[in-house]
């Protein structure tokens, strides 16, 4: 029962480090799945622990036809622990529901904005603006939005890098990974560093795709640095609220020095052994949840069978 909680604490420490050791594409996929499985598993075991304590209350046991003596025997959860676990499960469900509502609202707003924006055949929208901006707007037909100021700030070859980066966000559905990681972090606060690491790895993944598309890693690093410098010169505020969406993925939002340094280095290795170890962690966590569900079911079946003999 306690394994998902232990994995949560483990990810708090190693999640960000894994994004530096694994290839960005592998890190995003594996860490997102790991976070989701861990969050679901943690929520499940907290709910089970709380329910086992509630089920021991006389009126509840009578309704469920469960023997309180059987529920208290064996590896029963201590009442204080179960009470705290149940309260935590309720609080995390509320937090996750709130995050899901926000995610749905943001994605719907992005989809509506996509439909209203004119675009060429490649989904590119050139936004007339005196502030350097570039971002990917997800939707059924996503858009790459670039301001005229950003286009003026970059030479032609570096524009190709920027557009390839933003197109990679849409092509690889990066927003789905980010939303799933953020939901997992809402359901389990220990996963917040992992969710932040996924966001950084998504940008690194898009950087690698852009560098591969243009065939020049130094060019990709220069484009990233020049775009970030152009943004820094005018400050962080954006003039038009319609394009200020949390669902948008901005090319130069954060981590630019580290990302540029990575592009000046050789392409990151795949590290199949480490990826296999993370996959094993996912499977072990899922197996622990299944085992907890099985043991809990057996315990309540025994309590139901003994109900008639103890009452």
């Amino acid at each position: 029962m306690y394994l998902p909680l232990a994995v949560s604490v483990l990810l708090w420490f190693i999640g960000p480090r894994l994004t530096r050791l694994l290839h960005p594409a592998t890190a995003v996929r594996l860490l997102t799945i790991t976070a989701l499985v861990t969050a679901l598993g943690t929520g499940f075991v907290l709910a089970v622990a709380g329910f086992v304590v509630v089920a021991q209350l006389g009126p509840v046991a009578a309704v469920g036809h469960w023997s309180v003596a059987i529920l208290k025997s064996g590896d029963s959860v201590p009442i204080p622990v179960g009470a705290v676990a149940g309260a935590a499960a309720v609080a995390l469900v509320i937090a996750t529901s709130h995050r899901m509502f926000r995610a749905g609202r943001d994605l719907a707003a992005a989809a509506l904005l996509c439909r209203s924006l004119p675009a060429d055949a490649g989904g590119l929208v050139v936004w007339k603006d005196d502030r350097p901006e570039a971002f990917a707007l997800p939707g059924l037909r996503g858009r790459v939005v670039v301001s005229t100021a950003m286009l003026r700030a970059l030479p032609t070859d570096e524009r190709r890098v920027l557009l390839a980066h933003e197109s990679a966000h849409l092509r690889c559905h990066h927003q789905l990974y980010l939303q799933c990681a953020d939901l997992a972090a809402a359901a389990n606060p220990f996963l917040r560093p992992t969710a932040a690491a996924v966001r950084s790895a998504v940008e690194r993944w898009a950087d690698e795709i852009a560098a591969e598309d243009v065939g020049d890693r130094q060019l990709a690093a220069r484009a990233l640095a020049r775009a970030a410098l152009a943004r820094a010169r005018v400050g962080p505020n954006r003039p038009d609220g319609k394009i200020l969406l949390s669902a948008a993925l901005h090319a130069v939002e954060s981590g630019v020095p580290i990302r540029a340094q990575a592009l000046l280095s050789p392409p990151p290795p795949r590290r199949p052994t480490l990826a296999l170890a993370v996959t094993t962690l996912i499977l072990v966590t899922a197996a622990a949840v299944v085992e907890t569900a099985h043991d809990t079911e057996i315990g309540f079946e025994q309590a139901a069978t003994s109900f008639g003999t103890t009452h």
Side-chain angles (χ1 to χ4, degrees):
M1 174 177 288
Y2 299 106
L3 182 60
L5 299 173
V7 173
S8 301
V9 176
L10 178 64
L11 287 175
W12 173 280
F13 293 103
I14 71 170
R17 180 171 175 79
L18 287 175
T19 60
R20 296 191 294 269
L21 295 176
L22 292 168
H23 187 279
T26 304
V28 169
R29 294 186 178 111
L30 284 181
L31 283 180
T32 301
I33 296 173
T34 304
L36 282 174
V37 171
T38 304
L40 289 171
T42 303
F44 179 77
V45 297
L46 289 175
V48 166
F51 183 71
V52 168
V53 170
V54 172
Q56 296 175 25
L57 300 176
V60 178
V63 172
H65 295 91
W66 299 311
S67 169
V68 175
I70 295 298
L71 291 178
K72 289 183 177 180
S73 64
D75 297 329
S76 178
V77 178
I79 291 180
V81 173
V84 171
V90 172
L92 293 176
V93 166
I94 294 173
T96 305
S97 300
H98 178 64
R99 184 64 187 84
M100 288 181 67
F101 172 79
R102 288 175 50 202
R105 179 197 61 192
D106 293 342
L107 289 176
L112 288 174
L113 183 54
C114 280
R115 293 181 60 182
S116 68
L117 291 175
D120 63 14
L124 174 63
V125 177
V126 178
W127 193 277
K128 189 175 181 179
D129 195 348
D130 59 358
R131 286 179 173 270
E133 292 287 348
F135 56 88
L137 199 59
L140 294 178
R141 293 183 177 180
R143 297 286 189 265
V144 173
V145 181
V146 183
S147 70
T148 51
M150 181 64 82
L151 292 177
R152 289 194 301 267
L154 302 178
T156 302
D157 54 353
E158 293 180 10
R159 293 177 191 171
R160 290 173 50 216
V161 176
L162 185 69
L163 296 179
H165 176 103
E166 298 299 352
S167 297
H169 283 318
L170 300 179
R171 189 165 68 248
C172 298
H173 307 289
H174 287 165
Q175 187 59 40
L176 294 180
Y177 294 105
L178 295 177
Q179 294 293 351
C180 289
D182 286 345
L183 282 175
N188 185 339
F190 282 107
L191 298 176
R192 288 176 182 173
T194 299
V198 168
R199 185 168 293 276
S200 299
V202 158
E203 295 301 330
R204 283 280 300 113
W205 185 359
D207 289 342
E208 291 296 327
I209 292 176
E212 185 176 351
D213 285 351
V214 301
D216 189 336
R217 297 181 67 81
Q218 290 188 352
L219 172 62
R222 286 201 307 271
L224 178 63
R226 198 188 304 272
L229 182 60
R231 279 282 304 277
R233 285 172 177 165
V234 298
N237 296 326
R238 302 182 184 95
D240 196 327
K242 291 191 297 182
I243 63 173
L244 182 55
L245 294 171
S246 61
L249 289 88
H250 293 261
V252 290
E253 195 69 23
S254 62
V256 172
I258 295 175
R259 290 162 53 196
Q261 184 62 42
L263 286 170
L264 293 175
S265 304
R270 291 287 176 178
R271 301 186 191 275
T273 302
L274 181 57
L276 180 60
V278 177
T279 303
T280 302
L281 183 65
I282 297 172
L283 296 176
V284 170
T285 303
V289 173
V290 172
E291 182 67 21
T292 298
H294 178 67
D295 292 345
T296 303
E297 182 181 6
I298 291 177
F300 275 91
E301 287 178 352
Q302 293 174 346
T305 302
S306 303
F307 181 77
T309 61
T310 57
H311 288 76

